[in-house]
Amino acid sequence: MTKTLGNFTGRLLLVGCGNMAGAMLDRWLGAGLESAQVAIVDPFAAPRASIAHFATLADWLAADGAAEWVMLGMKPQQLGDVAGDLAPVVGGETHLLSILAGVSLADLAARFPEAKAQVRILPNLAARIGAGVSAVASLGEADREAISALLTPLGTVVDLADDSAMDLVTAFTGSGPAFVFRLIEAYAAAGERLGLSADDALRLATATFGGATALLAGSSEKPGTLVSQVASKGGTTQAGLDVLDADGQLVALMTNVLRAARDRGRELADLARGEG
């Protein structure tokens, strides 16, 4: 694979390497990041060949000391548990990257005031295949060229002026793939109820959603225009749309879904600050 991380030459310490951080790491390694540039501190993460793996920060400190690039990839409510041990790692030349839901730049700056920059990143799981979305906001003297080099292989990068909208973005794009997967699952289940086999229903649903989103992504037209190209007056598509659109229930449902996810992000922020 063509190396696409040529502008990122630092060494990256991952504190926590669960599903999201692991997906990012897999993509980075596939895009040319050398395994020698990465270390992981996580007692629960599955070992990755040739990547240094430490159970605790104390173990890593004994071996290496401060780091130029540190990414927080554990659960947000664990921040208080690791912040004290992490402080000696985060010095004046450290970029502190965080993918922790609900943990603001102000929270990071309060916990790690010595960092050269605090960078909040909101990725999603499609980063694993380079088709994700990463919203990013930062404080301090961030090396934007290096950050761009690190995030671009993950997919679309959206720079935010500040992180005031991050709780909503967390729900909208971070949680979004799970909502789409659930919609596909429900679509397939409905097909099965009406007579398709389970396997055929899932294959057809996956291909239908995949083709529709690819068509939209490659088009300059709005979704409503594409809807009108599929539906005809009095036809089968319109009959289904009449159910979807009745009383604005679909938009109301999705609004409630996003609100619940956004509000949970705020609750997690309180837990990370020890206020929950």
Side-chain angles (χ1 to χ4, degrees):
M1 180 177 287
T2 302
K3 187 168 182 176
T4 58
L5 280 165
N7 291 331
F8 183 81
T9 57
R11 188 156 185 257
L12 178 64
L13 173 64
L14 301 182
V15 182
C17 195
N19 289 334
M20 190 63 252
M24 296 167 75
L25 177 58
D26 288 342
R27 177 59 181 163
W28 285 330
L29 293 172
L33 186 68
E34 301 292 340
S35 58
Q37 291 177 258
V38 186
I40 299 171
V41 171
D42 191 330
F44 306 110
R48 283 173 164 79
S50 71
I51 294 178
H53 189 168
F54 302 88
T56 69
L57 280 161
D59 295 335
W60 191 86
L61 272 168
D64 277 278
E68 283 185 290
W69 294 82
V70 176
M71 188 173 87
L72 306 180
M74 66 284 183
K75 290 179 170 55
Q77 56 267 39
Q78 295 173 321
L79 179 59
D81 297 331
V82 304
D85 292 334
L86 186 58
V89 178
V90 180
E93 296 303 314
T94 303
H95 276 73
L96 181 70
L97 313 178
S98 170
I99 62 170
L100 306 186
V103 178
S104 69
L105 288 172
D107 294 331
L108 294 172
R111 295 270 192 183
F112 308 102
E114 299 300 319
K116 181 177 183 179
Q118 296 88 9
V119 184
R120 190 174 176 191
I121 303 165
L122 201 289
N124 65 19
L125 196 59
R128 180 183 292 156
I129 59 169
V133 180
S134 296
V136 59
S138 64
L139 286 176
E141 300 176 24
D143 184 338
R144 298 187 182 280
E145 183 177 354
I147 293 169
S148 177
L150 194 62
L151 297 182
T152 297
L154 305 181
T156 300
V157 180
V158 178
D159 290 304
L160 303 178
D162 56 51
D163 68 336
S164 60
M166 276 290 198
D167 288 333
L168 177 55
V169 174
T170 299
F172 203 78
T173 62
S175 302
F179 304 149
V180 173
F181 298 149
R182 184 67 87 217
L183 288 171
I184 294 171
E185 188 177 52
Y187 198 69
E192 186 181 355
R193 283 187 182 183
L194 294 173
L196 292 171
S197 71
D199 287 346
D200 285 347
L202 182 57
R203 288 176 63 198
L204 288 166
T206 301
T208 299
F209 274 70
T213 55
L215 179 61
L216 177 61
S219 173
S220 61
E221 295 175 310
K222 297 291 181 64
T225 302
L226 294 175
V227 167
S228 67
Q229 292 175 11
V230 180
S232 57
K233 186 176 180 179
T236 59
T237 304
Q238 190 58 53
L241 288 170
D242 289 343
V243 176
L244 282 176
D245 296 339
D247 300 321
Q249 292 182 83
L250 183 59
V251 174
L253 173 64
M254 295 312 301
T255 302
N256 289 335
V257 167
L258 292 172
R259 182 183 292 113
R262 181 202 63 189
D263 291 350
R264 179 55 180 162
R266 292 172 177 172
E267 292 170 1
L268 290 174
D270 291 341
L271 290 172
R273 286 191 291 266
E275 298 173 3

